[in-house]
Amino acid sequence: ARSRTVGELLAPTSPFDKKCGRENWTVAFAPDGSYFAWSQGHRIVKLVPWSQCLNNFLLHGTKNVANSISTRLPRQNSDSSQKNKPCEHIIDCGDIVWSLAFGSSVPEKQSRCVNIEWHRFKFGQDQLLLATGLNNGRIKIWDVYTGKLLLNLMDHTEVVRDLTFAPDGSLILVSASRDKTLRVWDLKDDGNMMKVLRGHQNWVYGCAFSPDSSILCSVGASKAVFLWDMDKYSMIRKLEGHHNDVVACEFSPDGALLATASYDTRVYIWDPHIGVILMEFGHLFPPPTPIFAGGANDRWVRSVSFSHDGLHIASLADDKMVRFWRIDEEYPVQVAPLNNGLCCTFSTDGSVLAAGQDGSVYFWATPRQVSSLQHLCRMAIRRVMPTSQVKNLPIPSKVVEFLCYQI
C-alpha cells in the first residue's frame, strides 16, 4: 500500500545555492508534540509549532515553502508572556548541523503509569530545550520558547553525529561523535560533562536511551552495537549480527525491543536484554552474503524509527523508498517514495512520519492498525518491569510465552 502524503516543508533555494551543505541530517519532534525542528543545511535550524504546521497543511494543501510559513505563524517578540503561545524560530548555529534533540524537564512517561513515581525536575521552570550537534564538535543548547542560546558545550574533537536526552526529565544529554566517544552532559549543572564512554574503535553514528533511561544503545562503524548501563556508566554487552556500519538505533516505547539499521541493507529487531535478534527486515532480495554486505550502496539503510504504538517501525534506504513495517511481518505494510532521504522520525503521537532530505522535510500518514490483545499486554507489563522480571513471574509458562516477544 502507498502511504498518504500529509505535507512537505521545502527549504528555500537561491539560483547559486550549491546542493552540498544543504543536507538535512536530522529531524525531531518535541516530547510534548509542541514543536518540530529540522536542519535546513548551511548552519540553519528551523523550529516551528507543530500543531500550526499541521493545520497549515490542511488549510493550504501539502506543499509549503519553509520561509513562507512565517507569514502565517506568529513571530517571537519578547521573552515573557509568550511561553504558552508557540512561536517559530530560525536559528543560526554557526556551523553545519549534524544532529538535533529536544530535552524536557518534564518526564515523558509522567502520566502513562499510575504506580510509578516520576520525579519532576525543576530547571527554574518547566523547560523545553533544543540541543544541536555541530560539524566542529561543539554542542549548542537553545531555549525553544525564546530561540536564545543557553549553553555552548565544547569537548568533542570531531563531528557530533547524534544527540539524545534521557526521557526521565533529568536533562541528561548524551552525544555521539566521530571522535569515537560518547559523552554524558548534565544540563541542570550548567552543562557539566559527567562521563566519557569509550569502547567504539571507529566513528559513533547514533545513540538512544531506553524509555526508563537506564540503558543507552550506541551504534557505529565496524558493525558496532553497544549497550551501556547508565547508572554505572559501564558497558553491558555488545550485540553482534550486522555485517557493515550500523547507523541508527531506537528502543520500542516499552523498552523491550531495539531496532538497529545498517549499511548491510538490513534492519534488525533485538531483544536487548538477552542480545538475541528477533526479526530481520531486508531491503535487498536476495540479501547480500556477508562478504558482499558492504557492496550494495544503493540499498544502504540510513535511518530507523519506532512508532508510538510499539507495533510499527519505519526505515529509510538509499533505494529511494520509505518503508513502514509491522514488527511481526516480514514485508512492508506501506511504502512511500523519497529521493536522497537521510533521516526519519515519528511524531510524538505516532500519527505522522517526518523524513529529511536536502534541507526539506516530507510527512506521511502512518499505518493505523488495531493492536492485538497480546501486543497490548506485552506493552503494558513492560512499562512496569523489564524482560528478565517478566520471565521470572510465578505464572504458567504459556502465559510467560504470551507476554514475551517471541516474534
Side-chain angles (χ1 to χ4, degrees):
R2 188 81 171 262
S3 294
R4 179 176 61 84
T5 303
V6 174
E8 53 193 51
L9 295 172
L10 305 178
T13 56
S14 64
F16 306 106
D17 191 7
K18 290 183 296 194
K19 194 170 179 181
C20 178
R22 270 183 52 215
E23 291 87 0
N24 178 353
W25 291 107
T26 178
V27 292
F29 288 93
D32 61 359
S34 59
Y35 276 90
F36 173 72
W38 79 101
S39 60
Q40 284 192 351
H42 303 308
R43 320 187 323 183
I44 301 301
V45 168
K46 192 80 178 272
L47 260 170
V48 295
W50 174 236
S51 60
Q52 294 179 41
C53 187
L54 211 47
N55 289 339
N56 238 16
F57 292 145
L58 298 173
L59 291 172
H60 302 281
T62 60
K63 291 212 175 208
N64 209 329
V65 177
N67 273 7
S68 70
I69 279 195
S70 57
T71 60
R72 291 187 286 273
L73 297 182
R75 301 292 299 209
Q76 182 78 21
N77 295 319
S78 63
D79 297 348
S80 58
S81 75
Q82 293 262 354
K83 182 188 162 187
N84 297 323
K85 190 177 180 184
C87 296
E88 167 193 332
H89 302 290
I90 296 174
I91 297 172
D92 185 342
C93 295
D95 204 346
I96 293 173
V97 181
W98 284 84
S99 50
L100 285 177
F102 281 98
S104 172
S105 58
V106 179
E108 288 180 28
K109 288 178 72 172
Q110 191 179 31
S111 60
R112 288 200 192 166
C113 194
V114 292
N115 56 351
I116 294 182
E117 286 186 25
W118 289 100
H119 300 283
R120 193 179 178 86
F121 294 90
K122 293 291 185 185
F123 187 5
Q125 57 182 356
D126 291 344
Q127 275 204 295
L128 185 59
L129 306 178
L130 180 72
T132 54
L134 307 181
N135 196 65
N136 58 11
R138 294 191 178 191
I139 302 166
K140 292 187 175 181
I141 311 295
W142 310 83
D143 185 316
V144 171
Y145 300 125
T146 64
K148 291 193 170 177
L149 180 64
L150 298 177
L151 294 168
N152 196 350
L153 310 179
M154 296 176 283
D155 214 67
H156 281 297
T157 56
E158 288 274 354
V159 169
V160 180
R161 192 64 188 83
D162 199 18
L163 294 164
T164 183
F165 275 94
D168 60 6
S170 60
L171 294 177
I172 297 295
L173 173 70
V174 174
S175 54
S177 171
R178 285 185 182 173
D179 65 13
K180 308 176 188 176
T181 68
L182 296 133
R183 293 172 195 263
V184 186
W185 313 81
D186 185 355
L187 298 193
K188 295 196 311 300
D189 188 17
D190 290 330
N192 177 45
M193 194 188 72
M194 301 159 59
K195 197 74 181 175
V196 180
L197 304 180
R198 303 182 193 277
H200 286 269
Q201 301 301 309
N202 285 290
W203 289 2
V204 190
Y205 278 102
C207 54
F209 267 104
S210 62
D212 64 0
S213 304
S214 66
I215 298 174
L216 180 84
C217 175
S218 63
V219 298
S222 306
K223 316 170 194 175
V225 182
F226 293 162
L227 295 177
W228 306 84
D229 182 326
M230 292 308 285
D231 293 323
K232 301 173 184 172
Y233 299 116
S234 59
M235 191 187 299
I236 300 171
R237 64 170 57 91
K238 183 176 180 179
L239 303 180
E240 297 188 345
H242 280 296
H243 304 296
N244 201 340
D245 295 358
V246 190
V247 294
C249 60
E250 190 164 14
F251 282 91
S252 61
D254 61 1
L257 304 175
L258 172 71
T260 57
S262 168
Y263 287 165
D264 67 7
T265 75
R266 298 171 175 90
V267 168
Y268 286 150
I269 304 291
W270 308 77
D271 183 329
H273 303 281
I274 55 176
V276 172
I277 297 171
L278 299 177
M279 193 76 184
E280 174 185 323
F281 299 121
H283 294 66
L284 179 63
F285 300 97
T289 56
I291 198 167
F292 295 113
N297 298 24
D298 60 339
R299 295 290 190 281
W300 282 3
V301 187
R302 293 279 178 182
S303 186
V304 66
S305 183
F306 241 111
S307 178
H308 183 75
D309 62 7
L311 189 64
H312 294 92
I313 67 165
S315 67
L316 192 152
D318 281 351
D319 62 357
K320 304 178 182 178
M321 295 290 282
V322 177
R323 293 171 173 83
F324 295 92
W325 314 75
R326 274 178 62 111
I327 59 169
D328 52 2
E329 294 182 12
E330 342 182 7
Y331 300 105
V333 291
Q334 284 185 18
V335 296
L338 180 69
N339 289 339
N340 305 322
L342 295 171
C343 57
C344 67
T345 189
F346 281 97
S347 60
T348 311
D349 63 0
S351 64
V352 172
L353 181 82
Q357 164 249 27
D358 292 341
S360 300
V361 192
Y362 298 85
F363 301 91
W364 292 277
T366 56
R368 308 298 281 174
Q369 295 176 325
V370 177
S371 299
S372 66
L373 177 62
Q374 181 184 22
H375 183 71
L376 294 172
C377 290
R378 291 185 298 204
M379 291 268 289
I381 200 164
R382 282 316 187 298
R383 294 205 189 283
V384 292
M385 60 176 62
T387 303
S388 55
Q389 289 182 25
V390 173
K391 291 193 170 179
N392 292 328
L393 286 172
I395 54 178
S397 58
K398 283 290 180 189
V399 180
V400 172
E401 276 182 34
F402 182 81
L403 294 174
C404 288
Y405 282 93
Q406 307 294 337
I407 299 174

